[in-house]
Amino acid sequence: MTRLLIECSYVFDHHDANSGIQRVVRNVIRELPDANSSRECIPVAMLDGKLYRVLSLKPLKTSVWSLTSLKTRLEKMSNSFWIRHQSLERHTPFTQSHFARRVLYVICRLMALACFSIPIRLCDRFRKKTESPQRCIPLQHLPGDQLILLDSSWHANFFPLAEQLKRDGVGIVSVIYDLIPLTHPQFCDAGLVRVFNHWFDWIARTADGYIAISATIRDQVREEMLRRVGRTQVAQRWFDYFHLGSELDQCSENSRIDTNLVQLFKGQAPVFLMVSTIEPRKNHGFLLDAFERVWASGSQARLCIAGRIGWKCEALIERIRRHPELNRRLFMFNTLDDNSLEYAYSKATALVFPSYVEGFGLPLVEAMQRGLPAMGSDIPVFREIGGEFMAYFDLNDPQNLADLVIRQETSGVFPAARHVHEWRWLGWREASNQLVERIVFHKNRFSSVMETHEADSP
């Protein structure tokens, strides 16, 4: 029997995180197929240089729950603190003096260390001592196991453990969500670019196979591998992809829909919804440019931006908060839960998604699976997912999107070749099965090739 060790270390340690990768990890783990005679799927976490079988991704309701919640709140406060620091740097005297910026940074660094970094580390230390053994148990690896790096492992420090597992006969498979820090570093923090590049170098040397979340990214990974390790090494690895599911997994009967969101959808005007973290590559500025043209034409269409505030977006957030249409035809929600997001998908007129680059585009399938048509930037991965069921616009011309919005509003007909109700997509159970089946297929194929090679050797 082949054991697939599905790594979920970050989500295990950050249960409240709900961005794209964390949503994928949670749903894939939840929907892993049951064991059969040929394979068994085991969620695992690599903690402090050791391998553990994960019994529960969610924290148990014990006395240490307060430490888990406190750590999450401190991490959110730390993120907000550094966003405010970046905003402050854009004002006098910091724009005119390198020395002033340096002094500001040192002061903020010391404050963050005392108020956030040290308390977060203390929470982590005490929480792991008391909680982790209840949620996971040690796991002994076996030759022939396959370690599937499903989580966001580029920030992790488990490289030595993974290398030891490989020496002991464990195969390594890397799930690749995108190569954006390599292909579009201008949209990323410089620290992430360095960390991701180091991680990809390690993955290029270590992994036996690579499974992306779209055919578009699979092809990019193969090209990057050719550039880094050469054709001979690439011929010894396998490359594939699986597609993501669409259900929102954190809806709760006890959660109330945001009252301001409900009020937004009470009017008769069409509402165009944008769902994503607010960061440069999501291209919210282009969206505002397009809708300013829509409003200038006399349209009453509303734009609803839903997503947490990310990085390198201070000027954009300031533009939104000072916009004359804010809370009239422009609305922003930064803390919607899955219940409110489900409500928005069900009530909106269309999704708008003007990203420069994506690995997949999870909001697209979430929206379209619910019958909400989508307008997206004309990039390869959106064509892969949406086909003829989406409307596409040129990122070089905001008027192109404005025309689509006006056409939708005036005609009531969505400007795509085929109706979204004819579109079908897989759920998370099918996505998880697809991931497992393709890995097992390549593992068996690779084993057969190696056996043939050994039999042919003198």
Side-chain angles (χ1 to χ4, degrees):
M1 175 187 289
T2 298
R3 299 198 310 176
L4 303 184
L5 312 182
I6 316 294
E7 183 266 327
C8 53
S9 306
Y10 184 85
V11 170
F12 178 84
D13 207 32
H14 298 78
H15 73 283
D16 278 340
N18 197 32
S19 61
I21 295 178
Q22 289 81 50
R23 190 183 290 274
V24 173
V25 173
R26 264 198 330 271
N27 283 287
V28 167
I29 294 294
R30 189 186 73 247
E31 299 292 353
L32 284 173
D34 295 332
N36 60 28
S37 59
S38 63
R39 50 107 178 101
E40 178 185 10
C41 301
I42 304 174
V44 301
M46 293 189 280
L47 308 170
D48 301 322
K50 298 179 181 178
L51 186 66
Y52 292 86
R53 178 194 288 260
V54 171
L55 304 178
S56 173
L57 277 181
K58 292 183 178 180
L60 304 177
K61 295 183 178 180
T62 66
S63 59
V64 297
W65 170 256
S66 59
L67 289 178
T68 301
S69 300
L70 177 59
K71 179 189 174 186
T72 300
R73 287 197 298 269
L74 286 170
E75 288 175 334
K76 290 180 179 178
M77 292 168 61
S78 176
N79 184 52
S80 298
F81 176 83
W82 285 110
I83 288 175
R84 291 183 179 276
H85 163 262
Q86 292 174 349
S87 179
L88 189 59
E89 276 190 321
R90 299 176 59 246
H91 294 86
T92 307
F94 308 110
T95 55
Q96 300 172 346
S97 169
H98 173 75
F99 177 75
R101 289 197 301 275
R102 188 63 184 169
V103 170
L104 175 66
Y105 173 78
V106 170
I107 293 173
C108 289
R109 188 66 183 155
L110 292 173
M111 290 176 61
L113 184 67
C115 298
F116 307 119
S117 299
I118 292 176
I120 286 172
R121 290 172 188 169
L122 290 175
C123 283
D124 230 14
R125 179 176 300 177
F126 289 112
R127 185 171 58 91
K128 286 180 178 179
K129 285 182 179 180
T130 53
E131 183 186 49
S132 293
Q134 302 173 41
R135 298 172 56 209
C136 62
I137 57 176
L139 178 69
Q140 180 58 51
H141 62 278
L142 302 172
D145 286 349
Q146 300 293 302
L147 176 63
I148 317 304
L149 299 177
L150 177 65
D151 216 334
S152 50
S153 57
W154 44 90
H155 288 295
N157 58 357
F158 56 67
F159 292 174
L161 173 59
E163 290 166 359
Q164 181 59 53
L165 297 181
K166 188 173 177 67
R167 287 192 291 270
D168 293 343
V170 175
I172 307 291
V173 177
S174 178
V175 177
I176 310 288
Y177 293 91
D178 61 63
L179 297 182
I180 293 169
L182 304 181
T183 60
H184 297 77
Q186 69 272 27
F187 296 138
C188 304
D189 177 78
L192 172 60
V193 173
R194 289 192 298 271
V195 167
F196 192 92
N197 188 64
H198 173 69
W199 169 81
F200 197 88
D201 272 341
W202 180 81
I203 284 295
R205 298 191 311 270
T206 310
D208 303 296
Y210 308 83
I211 186 159
I213 59 173
S214 64
T216 302
I217 300 304
R218 176 203 59 191
D219 296 342
Q220 288 183 11
V221 171
R222 185 187 285 113
E223 288 301 315
E224 182 66 17
M225 285 288 292
L226 285 169
R227 190 180 71 81
R228 293 196 181 218
V229 301
R231 195 168 299 277
T232 300
Q233 287 293 318
V234 167
Q236 299 173 16
R237 321 292 175 86
W238 59 264
F239 301 84
D240 209 332
Y241 72 95
F242 75 111
H243 279 152
L244 307 182
S246 58
E247 303 96 320
L248 296 174
D249 66 302
Q250 292 197 323
C251 291
S252 169
E253 293 181 359
N254 301 322
S255 179
R256 300 181 62 183
I257 298 169
D258 188 295
T259 55
N260 291 324
L261 187 70
V262 174
Q263 190 64 33
L264 161 64
F265 285 103
K266 281 186 176 179
Q268 297 298 314
V271 178
F272 292 82
L273 178 67
M274 167 67 170
V275 177
S276 89
T277 300
I278 300 175
E279 52 158 307
R281 73 179 173 89
K282 301 296 185 177
N283 209 8
H284 290 77
F286 174 94
L287 195 60
L288 282 177
D289 292 343
F291 271 83
E292 284 171 356
R293 298 182 184 210
V294 170
W295 296 326
S297 74
S299 168
Q300 294 304 306
R302 296 179 170 191
L303 173 61
C304 176
I305 295 173
R308 68 179 180 86
I309 297 174
W311 49 93
K312 293 186 175 182
C313 60
E314 297 80 15
L316 174 70
I317 296 301
E318 190 172 344
R319 178 183 175 185
I320 293 173
R321 288 175 176 167
R322 293 186 178 184
H323 203 284
E325 292 296 335
L326 184 63
N327 298 324
R328 294 178 65 246
R329 289 184 287 187
L330 171 63
F331 301 83
M332 180 171 68
F333 298 88
N334 302 125
T335 57
L336 293 184
D337 61 15
D338 276 8
N339 285 64
S340 294
L341 188 56
E342 188 82 58
Y343 181 83
Y345 280 139
S346 70
K347 297 293 184 180
T349 303
L351 183 82
V352 284
F353 208 175
S355 286
Y356 285 107
V357 58
E358 289 286 339
F360 183 77
L362 198 53
L364 290 179
V365 297
E366 291 174 350
M368 294 173 69
Q369 190 72 346
R370 289 157 178 78
L372 179 64
M375 301 176 179
S377 44
D378 195 357
I379 58 177
V381 72
F382 287 178
R383 290 279 183 179
E384 176 183 341
I385 294 167
E388 296 181 324
F389 300 93
M390 278 179 59
Y392 302 94
F393 50 84
D394 184 355
L395 288 183
N396 293 315
D397 184 9
Q399 187 63 46
N400 194 215
L401 172 56
D403 291 341
L404 291 177
V405 171
I406 294 169
R407 178 179 167 189
Q408 162 85 15
E409 182 181 12
T410 55
S411 70
V413 178
F414 188 75
R418 298 181 64 184
H419 199 284
V420 69
H421 289 150
E422 300 175 15
W423 186 82
R424 294 292 180 269
W425 199 256
L426 70 171
W428 281 113
R429 175 157 297 182
E430 293 84 0
S432 193
N433 276 323
Q434 193 178 88
L435 170 67
V436 168
E437 289 170 2
R438 294 187 179 185
I439 290 172
V440 170
F441 169 79
H442 287 288
K443 190 265 182 186
N444 293 338
R445 177 173 168 271
F446 184 79
S447 298
S448 298
V449 170
M450 292 301 294
E451 289 172 2
T452 301
H453 178 72
E454 291 173 1
D456 292 341
S457 299

